[in-house]
Amino acid sequence: DQGTCKDYNECLDEPCSDTERCSNIEGSYICDCLDTFIRDPQLKECVCSDGFGAVEGECVDINECDGESPCGENEACFNTAGNHYCECDEGFERGKKGDCKDFTPTDCEVKPKN
């Protein structure tokens, strides 16, 4: 009779940092960054993803629309998780160059023929 090897769950020893989750694999384990974190290749640790900032050990969304707007003239800023987007203000449309312009037709002065 040959014995069989049984995998030991290394994650029970909590080998990963507070910013990582442990996944047990046969014969080993993997530490992956938690959601909203990414691995910094130079630091070799998990740091907040772009659009998130560290607050008390957690990555929280940065509201890019607070303060000075990153959007252009005649645009409204909308914050999303980890990002933002800009839309033209009401009454404005995006032109060919990407800027928001007022395309409302102007009143034309029409004079009757004599």
Side-chain angles (χ1 to χ4, degrees):
D1 266 346
Q2 284 188 324
T4 57
C5 294
K6 185 176 179 182
D7 180 52
Y8 172 73
N9 185 351
E10 294 86 357
C11 293
L12 296 174
D13 297 331
E14 299 181 12
C16 302
S17 74
D18 291 343
T19 59
E20 299 172 310
R21 78 176 63 78
C22 186
S23 300
N24 186 54
I25 59 173
E26 194 170 325
S28 191
Y29 65 94
I30 297 172
C31 295
D32 290 317
C33 295
L34 296 173
D35 295 341
T36 70
F37 287 88
I38 57 169
R39 186 163 309 281
D40 183 309
Q42 279 129 6
L43 298 175
K44 297 188 181 235
E45 63 183 35
C46 297
V47 296
C48 292
S49 299
D50 289 343
F52 292 87
V55 176
E56 297 178 14
E58 292 186 25
C59 291
V60 295
D61 178 51
I62 296 170
N63 186 344
E64 294 87 356
C65 298
D66 277 351
E68 190 173 329
S69 176
C71 299
E73 189 176 351
N74 304 316
E75 291 183 315
C77 183
F78 297 91
N79 188 57
T80 61
N83 210 337
H84 73 283
Y85 65 95
C86 304
E87 284 187 359
C88 291
D89 289 335
E90 191 173 325
F92 291 83
E93 294 179 30
R94 198 157 305 281
K96 290 180 182 177
K97 294 181 182 176
D99 52 345
C100 293
K101 296 188 178 226
D102 184 357
F103 285 103
T104 306
T106 57
D107 292 334
C108 296
E109 194 174 357
V110 178
K111 296 183 181 179
K113 286 186 176 181
N114 289 335

